[in-house]
Amino acid sequence: MCLALGLGEWRYSTSESHLLVRLQPDPFLNELTNMFERTTDKGSVWVTLKHSSDKSKVKRNKMKTAGEKIEFKCLIRATDGKKTISTMVSPKDHQRFQSSYATILKARMTALKKRERKDKRKTADSDKKQDQKKQSKPSN
């Protein structure tokens, strides 16, 4: 069953409790931001990207035999376990979408810890010292 709405289309997924929502790219980013805000204290958001033509295999085979060019798009899905949203991004809109998506991710990944980096010179010096100690030890 499909209901056409202003923002996108609603589709039933395989599980009864989830409702898939296909949105345009900009409303998708807004809803993704809302998902991140809802799961700030507790929860997770899963985002998956998939190469897709949005056509059935039969249609793709007919297009191939007719010599038509098949335009592949990027299918992006996001879920917080309760709600699932998706969008299709065409190659010409990909760069703009990717920069907006990266901005959202950078803003929402506040719980990540900074990696402790060792100074390259210090590690190189300590490696040299260890090598010199090994060489200076007499072997019996």
Side-chain angles (χ1 to χ4, degrees), residues 13 30 71 90 95 104 128 132:
S13 71
N30 293 337
E71 182 182 77
S90 65
Q95 197 70 25
I104 290 171
K128 286 180 184 177
Q132 288 174 355

Side-chain angles (χ1 to χ4, degrees), residues 9-137:
E9 56 186 53
W10 297 80
R11 296 182 185 198
Y12 287 109
S13 71
T14 54
S15 68
E16 296 171 14
S17 62
H18 290 274
L19 193 61
L20 291 173
V21 181
R22 174 78 56 93
L23 301 171
Q24 295 297 319
D26 290 332
F28 174 85
L29 292 169
N30 293 337
E31 188 60 36
L32 182 63
T33 303
N34 293 340
M35 274 188 182
F36 278 123
E37 288 173 0
R38 282 193 304 264
T39 58
T40 300
D41 296 330
K42 186 178 178 183
S44 300
V45 175
W46 293 273
V47 179
T48 58
L49 292 90
K50 183 179 177 182
H51 185 241
S52 176
S53 69
D54 202 30
K55 304 233 184 294
S56 69
K57 193 171 185 178
V58 174
K59 284 185 180 180
R60 282 195 310 265
N61 288 339
K62 285 181 182 178
M63 290 174 77
K64 269 187 189 177
T65 57
E68 295 178 36
K69 187 177 178 184
I70 301 170
E71 182 182 77
F72 286 95
K73 297 178 181 182
C74 186
L75 172 64
I76 302 162
R77 293 186 187 119
T79 184
D80 60 359
K82 296 176 185 169
K83 186 176 183 180
T84 303
I85 57 173
S86 65
T87 189
M88 293 289 282
V89 179
S90 65
K92 65 178 183 176
D93 297 331
H94 182 264
Q95 197 70 25
R96 186 182 58 81
F97 179 86
Q98 189 66 27
S99 64
S100 301
Y101 175 65
T103 304
I104 290 171
L105 288 182
K106 287 175 190 174
R108 298 297 167 189
M109 290 191 184
T110 56
L112 296 177
K113 295 178 182 175
K114 273 241 189 224
R115 187 176 78 186
E116 291 184 23
R117 296 183 181 185
K118 296 179 182 177
D119 188 15
K120 289 181 182 178
R121 282 181 263 148
K122 288 182 182 178
T123 56
D125 290 341
S126 64
D127 289 343
K128 286 180 184 177
K129 288 178 184 177
Q130 288 177 356
D131 289 342
Q132 288 174 355
K133 286 180 183 178
K134 287 180 185 177
Q135 291 175 357
S136 65
K137 287 184 182 179

